[in-house]
Short mmCIF file of all heavy atoms in Angstrom, two decimals:
data_model
loop_
_atom_site.label_atom_id
_atom_site.label_comp_id
_atom_site.label_asym_id
_atom_site.label_seq_id
_atom_site.Cartn_x
_atom_site.Cartn_y
_atom_site.Cartn_z
N TYR A 34 -4.21 -13.67 10.58
CA TYR A 34 -5.59 -14.01 10.28
C TYR A 34 -6.57 -13.70 11.40
O TYR A 34 -7.78 -13.78 11.20
CB TYR A 34 -5.68 -15.49 9.86
CG TYR A 34 -5.17 -15.63 8.44
CD1 TYR A 34 -3.83 -15.87 8.17
CD2 TYR A 34 -6.03 -15.42 7.37
CE1 TYR A 34 -3.36 -15.92 6.87
CE2 TYR A 34 -5.58 -15.46 6.07
CZ TYR A 34 -4.23 -15.72 5.83
OH TYR A 34 -3.79 -15.75 4.54
N ILE A 37 -9.19 -11.22 10.48
CA ILE A 37 -10.07 -11.73 9.42
C ILE A 37 -11.07 -12.71 10.01
O ILE A 37 -12.27 -12.65 9.73
CB ILE A 37 -9.22 -12.35 8.29
CG1 ILE A 37 -8.39 -11.23 7.64
CG2 ILE A 37 -10.09 -13.06 7.27
CD1 ILE A 37 -7.30 -11.69 6.76
N THR A 78 -17.66 2.33 -5.30
CA THR A 78 -16.35 1.68 -5.28
C THR A 78 -16.12 0.87 -6.54
O THR A 78 -15.10 0.99 -7.21
CB THR A 78 -16.23 0.75 -4.05
OG1 THR A 78 -16.56 1.50 -2.89
CG2 THR A 78 -14.83 0.19 -3.91
N LEU A 205 -4.87 -5.64 -13.26
CA LEU A 205 -5.20 -6.22 -11.95
C LEU A 205 -4.70 -5.33 -10.82
O LEU A 205 -5.42 -5.06 -9.85
CB LEU A 205 -4.56 -7.60 -11.82
CG LEU A 205 -5.40 -8.77 -12.31
CD1 LEU A 205 -4.60 -10.06 -12.22
CD2 LEU A 205 -6.68 -8.89 -11.48
N PHE A 208 -6.85 -2.24 -10.61
CA PHE A 208 -8.16 -2.48 -10.00
C PHE A 208 -8.05 -2.57 -8.48
O PHE A 208 -8.84 -1.94 -7.76
CB PHE A 208 -8.77 -3.77 -10.56
CG PHE A 208 -10.18 -4.01 -10.08
CD1 PHE A 208 -11.25 -3.42 -10.75
CD2 PHE A 208 -10.44 -4.78 -8.96
CE1 PHE A 208 -12.55 -3.61 -10.31
CE2 PHE A 208 -11.74 -4.97 -8.51
CZ PHE A 208 -12.79 -4.38 -9.19
N THR A 209 -7.08 -3.34 -7.98
CA THR A 209 -6.99 -3.47 -6.53
C THR A 209 -6.57 -2.16 -5.88
O THR A 209 -7.05 -1.83 -4.80
CB THR A 209 -5.99 -4.58 -6.12
OG1 THR A 209 -4.82 -4.43 -6.91
CG2 THR A 209 -6.57 -5.94 -6.35
N MET A 210 -5.67 -1.41 -6.55
CA MET A 210 -5.27 -0.11 -5.98
C MET A 210 -6.49 0.79 -5.82
O MET A 210 -6.67 1.46 -4.81
CB MET A 210 -4.26 0.60 -6.89
CG MET A 210 -2.92 -0.08 -7.02
SD MET A 210 -1.97 -0.09 -5.52
CE MET A 210 -1.64 1.63 -5.31
N PHE A 212 -9.74 -0.12 -5.84
CA PHE A 212 -10.76 -0.72 -4.98
C PHE A 212 -10.44 -0.49 -3.51
O PHE A 212 -11.33 -0.24 -2.70
CB PHE A 212 -10.84 -2.23 -5.27
CG PHE A 212 -12.03 -2.91 -4.66
CD1 PHE A 212 -13.24 -2.91 -5.32
CD2 PHE A 212 -11.93 -3.54 -3.43
CE1 PHE A 212 -14.35 -3.53 -4.76
CE2 PHE A 212 -13.04 -4.17 -2.87
CZ PHE A 212 -14.25 -4.16 -3.54
N ASP A 213 -9.15 -0.57 -3.15
CA ASP A 213 -8.75 -0.47 -1.75
C ASP A 213 -8.42 0.94 -1.30
O ASP A 213 -8.15 1.16 -0.13
CB ASP A 213 -7.51 -1.34 -1.50
CG ASP A 213 -7.87 -2.79 -1.32
OD1 ASP A 213 -9.07 -3.06 -1.18
OD2 ASP A 213 -6.98 -3.64 -1.34
N ILE A 229 -16.07 2.26 -0.16
CA ILE A 229 -16.17 1.36 0.99
C ILE A 229 -15.22 1.79 2.11
O ILE A 229 -15.60 1.84 3.28
CB ILE A 229 -15.87 -0.10 0.55
CG1 ILE A 229 -16.99 -0.58 -0.39
CG2 ILE A 229 -15.76 -1.02 1.75
CD1 ILE A 229 -16.72 -1.92 -1.03
N LEU A 247 -20.25 -6.61 5.52
CA LEU A 247 -19.68 -6.14 4.25
C LEU A 247 -18.26 -6.67 4.08
O LEU A 247 -17.91 -7.19 3.02
CB LEU A 247 -19.69 -4.61 4.24
CG LEU A 247 -19.01 -3.93 3.06
CD1 LEU A 247 -19.73 -4.28 1.78
CD2 LEU A 247 -19.00 -2.43 3.25
N SER A 248 -17.46 -6.57 5.16
CA SER A 248 -16.07 -7.04 5.09
C SER A 248 -16.02 -8.52 4.76
O SER A 248 -15.18 -8.96 3.98
CB SER A 248 -15.34 -6.80 6.40
OG SER A 248 -15.54 -5.49 6.84
N THR A 249 -16.93 -9.29 5.38
CA THR A 249 -16.92 -10.73 5.15
C THR A 249 -17.16 -11.03 3.68
O THR A 249 -16.50 -11.90 3.09
CB THR A 249 -17.99 -11.41 6.02
OG1 THR A 249 -17.74 -11.07 7.37
CG2 THR A 249 -17.97 -12.91 5.85
N ILE A 250 -18.10 -10.30 3.06
CA ILE A 250 -18.37 -10.52 1.64
C ILE A 250 -17.12 -10.20 0.81
O ILE A 250 -16.73 -10.98 -0.08
CB ILE A 250 -19.58 -9.68 1.18
CG1 ILE A 250 -20.84 -10.20 1.88
CG2 ILE A 250 -19.74 -9.76 -0.33
CD1 ILE A 250 -22.07 -9.39 1.61
N ILE A 251 -16.46 -9.08 1.14
CA ILE A 251 -15.23 -8.73 0.40
C ILE A 251 -14.17 -9.80 0.60
O ILE A 251 -13.54 -10.26 -0.36
CB ILE A 251 -14.69 -7.37 0.89
CG1 ILE A 251 -15.71 -6.26 0.62
CG2 ILE A 251 -13.38 -7.03 0.20
CD1 ILE A 251 -15.31 -4.92 1.19
N ILE A 252 -13.98 -10.24 1.85
CA ILE A 252 -12.98 -11.27 2.14
C ILE A 252 -13.26 -12.52 1.33
O ILE A 252 -12.38 -13.10 0.70
CB ILE A 252 -12.96 -11.60 3.66
CG1 ILE A 252 -12.42 -10.41 4.45
CG2 ILE A 252 -12.14 -12.85 3.94
CD1 ILE A 252 -12.61 -10.52 5.95
N LEU A 253 -14.53 -12.91 1.29
CA LEU A 253 -14.93 -14.13 0.57
C LEU A 253 -14.60 -14.00 -0.91
O LEU A 253 -13.98 -14.89 -1.51
CB LEU A 253 -16.43 -14.35 0.77
CG LEU A 253 -16.92 -15.77 0.51
CD1 LEU A 253 -16.45 -16.68 1.62
CD2 LEU A 253 -18.43 -15.80 0.39
N LEU A 254 -15.00 -12.85 -1.51
CA LEU A 254 -14.76 -12.65 -2.94
C LEU A 254 -13.27 -12.69 -3.26
O LEU A 254 -12.84 -13.38 -4.19
CB LEU A 254 -15.34 -11.30 -3.39
CG LEU A 254 -16.84 -11.23 -3.53
CD1 LEU A 254 -17.28 -9.82 -3.92
CD2 LEU A 254 -17.32 -12.23 -4.59
N ILE A 255 -12.47 -11.97 -2.47
CA ILE A 255 -11.03 -11.89 -2.74
C ILE A 255 -10.39 -13.27 -2.58
O ILE A 255 -9.56 -13.67 -3.39
CB ILE A 255 -10.37 -10.85 -1.84
CG1 ILE A 255 -10.79 -9.45 -2.31
CG2 ILE A 255 -8.86 -10.96 -1.87
CD1 ILE A 255 -10.43 -8.35 -1.38
N THR A 256 -10.80 -14.00 -1.53
CA THR A 256 -10.23 -15.33 -1.32
C THR A 256 -10.53 -16.23 -2.51
O THR A 256 -9.64 -16.92 -3.02
CB THR A 256 -10.80 -15.96 -0.03
OG1 THR A 256 -10.75 -14.98 1.01
CG2 THR A 256 -10.00 -17.16 0.38
N ILE A 257 -11.79 -16.21 -2.98
CA ILE A 257 -12.14 -17.06 -4.11
C ILE A 257 -11.28 -16.71 -5.33
O ILE A 257 -10.68 -17.59 -5.96
CB ILE A 257 -13.65 -16.91 -4.45
CG1 ILE A 257 -14.50 -17.52 -3.33
CG2 ILE A 257 -13.97 -17.60 -5.78
CD1 ILE A 257 -15.97 -17.25 -3.46
N VAL A 258 -11.18 -15.40 -5.64
CA VAL A 258 -10.42 -14.98 -6.82
C VAL A 258 -8.95 -15.41 -6.68
O VAL A 258 -8.37 -16.00 -7.60
CB VAL A 258 -10.52 -13.45 -7.01
CG1 VAL A 258 -9.56 -12.99 -8.09
CG2 VAL A 258 -11.94 -13.07 -7.37
N LEU A 259 -8.36 -15.14 -5.51
CA LEU A 259 -6.94 -15.47 -5.33
C LEU A 259 -6.69 -16.97 -5.41
O LEU A 259 -5.73 -17.42 -6.02
CB LEU A 259 -6.45 -14.95 -3.98
CG LEU A 259 -6.07 -13.48 -3.93
CD1 LEU A 259 -5.50 -13.13 -2.58
CD2 LEU A 259 -5.05 -13.16 -5.01
N VAL A 260 -7.57 -17.75 -4.79
CA VAL A 260 -7.40 -19.19 -4.82
C VAL A 260 -7.52 -19.70 -6.26
O VAL A 260 -6.72 -20.50 -6.73
CB VAL A 260 -8.42 -19.89 -3.89
CG1 VAL A 260 -8.45 -21.38 -4.14
CG2 VAL A 260 -8.06 -19.61 -2.43
N LEU A 261 -8.50 -19.17 -7.00
CA LEU A 261 -8.66 -19.56 -8.40
C LEU A 261 -7.41 -19.23 -9.20
O LEU A 261 -6.88 -20.08 -9.93
CB LEU A 261 -9.87 -18.86 -9.02
CG LEU A 261 -11.23 -19.47 -8.68
CD1 LEU A 261 -12.34 -18.70 -9.39
CD2 LEU A 261 -11.29 -20.95 -9.08
N ILE A 262 -6.92 -18.00 -9.05
CA ILE A 262 -5.73 -17.58 -9.80
C ILE A 262 -4.56 -18.51 -9.51
O ILE A 262 -3.78 -18.86 -10.39
CB ILE A 262 -5.35 -16.12 -9.45
CG1 ILE A 262 -6.39 -15.15 -10.05
CG2 ILE A 262 -3.97 -15.76 -9.96
CD1 ILE A 262 -6.19 -13.71 -9.65
N ASN A 263 -4.45 -18.93 -8.25
CA ASN A 263 -3.31 -19.76 -7.88
C ASN A 263 -3.50 -21.24 -8.20
O ASN A 263 -2.54 -21.97 -8.36
CB ASN A 263 -2.99 -19.59 -6.40
CG ASN A 263 -2.24 -18.31 -6.15
OD1 ASN A 263 -1.04 -18.25 -6.38
ND2 ASN A 263 -2.95 -17.27 -5.76
N LEU B 113 1.29 -17.43 -0.46
CA LEU B 113 -0.12 -17.09 -0.68
C LEU B 113 -0.79 -16.68 0.63
O LEU B 113 -1.53 -15.69 0.67
CB LEU B 113 -0.85 -18.29 -1.30
CG LEU B 113 -2.34 -18.10 -1.59
CD1 LEU B 113 -2.53 -17.03 -2.65
CD2 LEU B 113 -2.99 -19.39 -2.03
N THR B 116 0.31 -13.17 1.50
CA THR B 116 -0.18 -12.09 0.64
C THR B 116 -1.70 -11.93 0.71
O THR B 116 -2.20 -10.84 0.48
CB THR B 116 0.22 -12.31 -0.83
OG1 THR B 116 0.13 -13.69 -1.13
CG2 THR B 116 1.60 -11.81 -1.10
N LEU B 117 -2.41 -13.00 1.03
CA LEU B 117 -3.87 -12.92 1.01
C LEU B 117 -4.45 -11.78 1.85
O LEU B 117 -5.26 -11.00 1.34
CB LEU B 117 -4.48 -14.26 1.42
CG LEU B 117 -5.89 -14.52 0.93
CD1 LEU B 117 -6.06 -15.97 0.55
CD2 LEU B 117 -6.93 -14.16 1.97
N PRO B 118 -4.02 -11.62 3.11
CA PRO B 118 -4.58 -10.51 3.89
C PRO B 118 -4.31 -9.14 3.28
O PRO B 118 -5.09 -8.21 3.44
CB PRO B 118 -3.88 -10.64 5.25
CG PRO B 118 -3.41 -12.03 5.32
CD PRO B 118 -3.11 -12.43 3.92
N MET B 119 -3.18 -9.02 2.53
CA MET B 119 -2.85 -7.72 1.94
C MET B 119 -3.90 -7.25 0.95
O MET B 119 -4.02 -6.06 0.68
CB MET B 119 -1.52 -7.80 1.21
CG MET B 119 -0.31 -7.87 2.10
SD MET B 119 1.15 -8.25 1.15
CE MET B 119 1.50 -6.67 0.41
N TRP B 120 -4.61 -8.22 0.36
CA TRP B 120 -5.61 -7.85 -0.65
C TRP B 120 -6.89 -7.34 -0.02
O TRP B 120 -7.73 -6.78 -0.69
CB TRP B 120 -5.93 -9.05 -1.55
CG TRP B 120 -4.78 -9.46 -2.38
CD1 TRP B 120 -3.73 -10.25 -1.99
CD2 TRP B 120 -4.52 -9.08 -3.73
NE1 TRP B 120 -2.85 -10.37 -3.02
CE2 TRP B 120 -3.30 -9.66 -4.09
CE3 TRP B 120 -5.20 -8.28 -4.66
CZ2 TRP B 120 -2.75 -9.50 -5.35
CZ3 TRP B 120 -4.65 -8.13 -5.90
CH2 TRP B 120 -3.44 -8.73 -6.25
N ILE B 121 -7.03 -7.59 1.26
CA ILE B 121 -8.25 -7.14 1.92
C ILE B 121 -8.01 -5.73 2.46
O ILE B 121 -6.97 -5.45 3.05
CB ILE B 121 -8.64 -8.12 3.04
CG1 ILE B 121 -8.99 -9.47 2.40
CG2 ILE B 121 -9.80 -7.61 3.84
CD1 ILE B 121 -8.83 -10.62 3.33
N ASN B 122 -8.96 -4.90 2.21
CA ASN B 122 -8.92 -3.50 2.59
C ASN B 122 -8.27 -3.24 3.96
O ASN B 122 -8.66 -3.82 4.96
CB ASN B 122 -10.37 -3.02 2.62
CG ASN B 122 -10.45 -1.55 2.49
OD1 ASN B 122 -9.82 -0.85 3.25
ND2 ASN B 122 -11.19 -1.08 1.51
N MET B 123 -7.27 -2.34 3.98
CA MET B 123 -6.57 -2.01 5.22
C MET B 123 -7.52 -1.49 6.30
O MET B 123 -7.37 -1.81 7.47
CB MET B 123 -5.55 -0.91 4.94
CG MET B 123 -4.15 -1.42 4.79
SD MET B 123 -3.00 -0.04 4.77
CE MET B 123 -1.62 -0.84 3.98
N VAL B 125 -10.64 -2.17 6.73
CA VAL B 125 -11.44 -3.27 7.25
C VAL B 125 -10.65 -4.06 8.29
O VAL B 125 -11.13 -4.37 9.37
CB VAL B 125 -11.88 -4.18 6.08
CG1 VAL B 125 -12.37 -5.51 6.58
CG2 VAL B 125 -12.94 -3.48 5.25
N ARG B 126 -9.37 -4.32 7.97
CA ARG B 126 -8.55 -5.12 8.88
C ARG B 126 -8.22 -4.34 10.14
O ARG B 126 -8.19 -4.88 11.25
CB ARG B 126 -7.28 -5.58 8.18
CG ARG B 126 -7.55 -6.67 7.16
CD ARG B 126 -6.29 -7.09 6.46
NE ARG B 126 -5.82 -6.07 5.54
CZ ARG B 126 -4.53 -5.82 5.33
NH1 ARG B 126 -3.62 -6.48 5.99
NH2 ARG B 126 -4.18 -4.90 4.47
#
Side-chain angles (χ1 to χ4, degrees):
Chain A
Y34 284 90
I37 294 167
T78 307
L205 270 176
F208 186 85
T209 45
M210 294 293 294
F212 192 85
D213 279 349
I229 293 172
L247 174 63
S248 311
T249 303
I250 293 175
I251 298 174
I252 291 169
L253 200 72
L254 285 178
I255 288 170
T256 314
I257 291 171
V258 171
L259 278 185
V260 168
L261 281 182
I262 289 174
N263 281 281
Chain B
L113 180 65
T116 38
L117 203 143
M119 287 170 78
W120 294 82
I121 295 156
N122 201 306
M123 260 190 201
V125 164
R126 287 179 288 144

